Amino acid sequence: MVCKKIIIDTDPGIDDILALLLALSAQPEDVEVLLISLTFGNIEVKNCLRNVVSMFHILEREIQWRREKGRPEGFGAMRAFRPVVAVGAEDPLEDQKMMADYFHGTDGLGGIHASHPHLTASQAWEHLFDPAIDADGIKTVQTGADPDDHSFIPSKVPAHKEILRVLRENEPDTVTLVAVGPLTNLALASAEDPETFLRVKEVVVMGGAVHQPGNVTPVGEFNAYADAFAAARVFALTSPNPNSTLPPTKSSLLPPYPAKLSRQLTLRLFPLDITLRHNLSRGEFRAAVKPLLEAGSPLAEWVSVFMAHAFKTLERMHPGHVGDDAQLSLHDPVCVWYALTSEDPHWAPSATSPEDIRIETVGQWTRGMCIIDRRNRHPIEGDEESSNDHGLWLSQRAGNRIYRMDESPAETTFGTILIQRLFG
């Protein structure tokens, strides 16, 4: 099997961290994480960066602990290939910013940096991401932590430019981009250089709700809601005529796409419809992690703190999520699991895929809603609007082409698989 190459665009975030840990825990012959690109979303992007750096800090300690205990070290993908970490979008393209700190906590991990400061990386790493340039255009030399001392490669380049660099430096159709936050970085990359962006093998998106209620509004899922304009632009690249589904814009921040592009984007959408079926219960987590906590595992201690916050928040927000029966939906880890195991025939899109799914950007109550055409109408030829086809919903030459994922190989057992992969 060929080693998979992936980019993870993320806003860590509790389930984002679980998704990153899942990717980094893979065998080095199975996957190489080329880039972790960060965006605002669950929290401010600076807090996202602190969470990712702290994750690597904990993993370095965990591997040392396992080595001293004579345990398998794990996290081969991280030890074999140091991923680049790049900081991206601080704000949505056009929408009012909304974050999910009501669930994840203001720091994204349930207040862990204040309550357990010994688990947070030293601030000596901050300058590694500082894009300061001196008067001659040369990056300022800083003293302090050595980039080679870390399990990651810090970048001073904006995340969307790093995405384009990775796609440019690898053969077409060899890199999968897993996007588990708002799609702002992807929209910026595809606007700057759409042909380079289209070198991606496929984009795997956690976002939206098609036949399920939303989780931040009655119809809006958080990632699609947080930057609906960016999501609509990325979705449009799946269309034979991308400009036919571009959203109306209040600014000239991003231009239309070129009239002709060399190919269409392959986008696999993991909406709430499928991610809500992949869960981890508090009881499952407690049983797996308790002996590791007693043995002194740094990773078990770190994850236990923010998972305790997550389960407590679920109890407060949702009826029925009580005690060991509380279920955390593994939205983002499911997308990474697909990227790692996409050749498994049990992964399947909906029977109606590819579907014309569009993101609402301007509605008072429907921002971020996944719109599909529920009318029973005959398709029509042509790519111009007619009196009975406003928006080119019936045109065979327009509309998006989204693969909405609907079946997985581990719907009822994924929580167990995740814990086994992380803690071995």
Side-chain angles (χ1 to χ4, degrees), residues 208-401:
V210 180
H211 301 294
Q212 285 281 335
N215 59 6
V216 293
T217 72
V219 295
E221 177 276 331
F222 175 79
N223 287 340
Y225 184 94
D227 196 342
F229 183 80
R233 281 192 63 98
V234 174
F235 280 32
L237 284 171
T238 68
S239 172
N241 178 8
N243 290 319
S244 69
T245 63
L246 279 183
T249 176
K250 299 187 290 290
S251 72
S252 57
L253 178 64
L254 298 182
Y257 292 121
K260 291 188 178 296
L261 291 169
S262 62
R263 59 195 297 185
Q264 295 167 230
L265 177 68
T266 299
L267 191 151
R268 297 192 182 274
L269 182 66
F270 283 74
L272 295 181
D273 308 57
I274 184 171
T275 61
L276 285 171
R277 306 200 301 259
H278 296 76
N279 299 288
L280 173 66
S281 74
R282 178 190 263 139
E284 289 175 304
F285 179 77
R286 190 198 310 276
V289 173
K290 183 179 179 181
L292 294 169
L293 278 172
E294 294 172 348
S297 161
L299 180 61
E301 181 185 5
W302 189 62
V303 175
S304 292
V305 174
F306 62 73
M307 289 293 280
H309 168 85
F311 286 122
K312 185 180 296 184
T313 304
L314 285 168
E315 282 188 327
R316 187 178 72 249
M317 292 177 60
H318 298 287
H321 285 270
V322 179
D324 281 353
D325 293 330
Q327 299 272 341
L328 177 68
S329 294
L330 302 170
H331 305 289
D332 298 344
V334 173
C335 296
V336 167
W337 186 239
Y338 168 79
L340 299 178
T341 64
S342 57
E343 69 283 351
D344 190 316
H346 292 94
W347 289 109
S350 66
T352 52
S353 288
E355 299 175 76
D356 187 1
I357 302 174
R358 309 186 196 183
I359 301 293
E360 175 60 62
T361 61
V362 296
Q364 179 181 3
W365 308 117
T366 56
R367 168 179 154 188
M369 181 180 182
C370 286
I371 306 295
I372 58 174
D373 191 349
R374 302 178 190 272
R375 300 172 298 175
N376 184 18
R377 297 280 189 90
H378 289 296
I380 61 176
E381 292 291 337
D383 52 10
E384 294 184 3
E385 283 192 332
S386 64
S387 59
N388 68 335
D389 186 27
H390 292 285
L392 295 172
W393 286 93
L394 304 177
S395 170
Q396 294 180 305
R397 301 180 188 176
N400 295 334
R401 306 288 190 270

Side-chain angles (χ1 to χ4, degrees), residues 111-134:
I112 194 171
H113 300 294
S115 64
H116 294 70
H118 65 288
L119 299 177
T120 299
S122 162
Q123 298 299 299
W125 52 265
E126 284 189 330
H127 74 273
L128 301 175
F129 297 88
D130 187 350
I133 304 294
D134 70 15

